[in-house]
Amino acid sequence: MSAPRTNLEVLPRSVQFVLVLGLVALLAFPFVGSDFYVQMVTRMMIMAIFAMSLDLLQGVTGLVSLGHAAYFGVAGYALAFLTPADAPVSLWWSLPAAVAGSALVALFIGFFVVRTHGIYFIMVTMAFAQMVFYLFFDNKILGGSDGSYINLRPDASLFGWLPFDLEGRRTFYYFTLTLVVLVYAGLRRLLWSPLGRALAGIRVNEHRMRAMGFSTQGYKLTAFTVAGALAGLAGYLWGAQTGYVNPELMGFHMSAHAIMMVILGGMGNFAGAIVGAFAFEYLLHVFKDITKHWQLLMGSFIVLVVLVAPRGLLGMLVRLRAAKGGTDHG
């Protein structure tokens, strides 16, 4: 089966060049940036993983979730509960455990929500996320509204050998960058796999896919679970970097931020999610310095982008390149 391609699924050379240039800049940044900005860019990369996980649902499969932050927060709390108060937890088992925990929660929730469509799907995902939010918010055993602290970052030791130390800001930065590249490469490969083509077909016309004999609920549940696992990876990294998790990580505003990142950068190719996450987090930093009513500025900017560049910032880049008459095919 060959599902229809969107203009952004095949990355033009101009976009590929921007991505390579961005990767080079990220590799060099810790040597020129201060500790504050290194940590800020690390947070941007974590949010890029979070945005890519949502793009698998929203951009590729056509499923808009208002509860995606639940899996982000579950993994962060998993790291907090697995980490002893006076010693670091092993990276090599805590990371898979936290991601698996998020995947299982996504699998459970997805079993119910993929049976719905349209506005009902959106509202049910938000409802389940609010249940998870209040489970942690109202439960003192789980930390309550105060959240939980993570005193030490995970330990990467292997049989007494320490290949890298995540307590170092630069080391954690490059560890996060490596995961961003791996997640992006894996999702791009999935995009062209039989699973990815089936998900694209569901986005275009789910009724036709069912008529062709595809179990669309099974495919959507797979995408929902994988997206939840990747959101959990981002949540784990967030907890490890900040050393603190609270129920707000599962709140509606976190899911809304991820949606805005995907829309801002451009949906359906994962590169747009990365660009959108960096742009959103940078604008968040700038607007908060300007006024306490930063939401007004951010909302206005998002509306402007949607009006001027419906395909996002990457789509605008492709359109500008095409307007100049350049050949731009990958």
Side-chain angles (χ1 to χ4, degrees):
M1 181 206 63
S2 178
R5 300 180 181 183
T6 66
N7 291 340
L8 284 180
E9 282 178 352
V10 180
L11 293 181
R13 289 197 182 96
S14 58
V15 175
Q16 295 175 18
F17 176 75
V18 168
L19 292 177
V20 172
L21 192 63
L23 178 59
V24 172
L26 288 173
L27 287 170
F29 185 77
F31 296 98
V32 296
S34 64
D35 286 347
F36 172 80
Y37 286 106
V38 167
Q39 291 191 74
M40 187 174 80
V41 175
T42 302
R43 184 171 65 251
M44 290 177 175
M45 291 190 291
I46 293 171
M47 297 310 294
I49 296 176
F50 186 37
M52 283 191 286
S53 71
L54 180 61
D55 199 20
L56 176 61
L57 282 181
Q58 184 168 312
V60 176
T61 318
L63 302 175
V64 180
S65 172
L66 285 180
H68 202 58
Y71 321 115
F72 182 87
V74 164
Y77 268 96
L79 175 61
F81 295 145
L82 293 173
T83 303
D86 56 352
V89 68
S90 172
L91 170 72
W92 306 112
W93 71 264
S94 63
L95 176 57
V99 171
S102 292
L104 285 174
V105 174
L107 177 63
F108 174 78
I109 294 176
F111 178 80
F112 299 98
V113 302
V114 298
R115 301 169 187 271
T116 61
H117 300 85
I119 188 65
Y120 302 104
F121 178 92
I122 297 173
M123 298 309 297
V124 172
T125 57
M126 184 173 69
F128 271 107
Q130 288 300 101
M131 291 181 199
V132 176
F133 170 82
Y134 283 109
L135 173 65
F136 284 83
F137 187 86
D138 292 333
N139 195 326
K140 295 299 181 183
I141 298 177
L142 299 176
S145 59
D146 294 331
S148 298
Y149 287 94
I150 304 168
N151 297 324
L152 296 166
R153 287 179 179 173
D155 179 26
S157 296
L158 278 171
F159 305 108
W161 172 57
L162 183 63
F164 51 87
D165 184 6
L166 293 180
E167 287 293 343
R169 290 189 181 93
R170 187 178 294 180
T171 304
F172 190 83
Y173 174 97
Y174 283 116
F175 178 72
T176 304
L177 177 58
T178 300
L179 290 177
V180 170
V181 173
L182 290 176
V183 169
Y184 173 75
L187 288 175
R188 286 294 299 179
R189 178 67 186 86
L190 182 146
L191 194 63
W192 297 109
S193 69
L195 172 61
R197 305 319 299 161
L199 296 178
I202 291 172
R203 181 192 72 240
V204 175
N205 193 324
E206 184 176 353
H207 295 292
R208 182 176 296 177
M209 293 293 290
R210 283 203 300 265
M212 293 171 61
F214 285 86
S215 175
T216 57
Q217 286 189 9
Y219 281 105
K220 289 193 294 184
L221 181 57
T222 300
F224 201 91
T225 304
V226 172
L230 293 176
L233 173 61
Y236 179 95
L237 292 172
W238 178 279
Q241 187 200 23
T242 62
Y244 176 69
V245 292
N246 65 7
E248 293 301 318
L249 295 179
M250 307 173 179
F252 167 77
H253 74 281
M254 283 294 291
S255 297
H257 285 183
I259 292 175
M260 286 188 282
M261 290 173 193
V262 174
I263 293 174
L264 183 60
M267 296 189 294
N269 60 79
F270 306 115
I274 297 175
V275 173
F278 274 77
F280 183 89
E281 288 294 316
Y282 177 75
L283 291 172
L284 195 66
H285 173 72
V286 172
F287 291 157
K288 281 186 175 180
D289 283 345
I290 295 175
T291 174
K292 64 179 180 180
H293 303 295
W294 60 269
Q295 294 96 334
L296 179 62
L297 295 178
M298 181 65 78
S300 301
F301 182 81
I302 296 293
V303 171
L304 179 64
V305 170
V306 170
L307 293 175
V308 176
R311 292 176 179 263
L313 296 177
L314 275 188
M316 183 172 62
L317 173 63
V318 174
R319 189 173 64 179
L320 291 175
R321 175 66 175 159
K324 292 181 180 179
T327 56
D328 202 22
H329 302 289

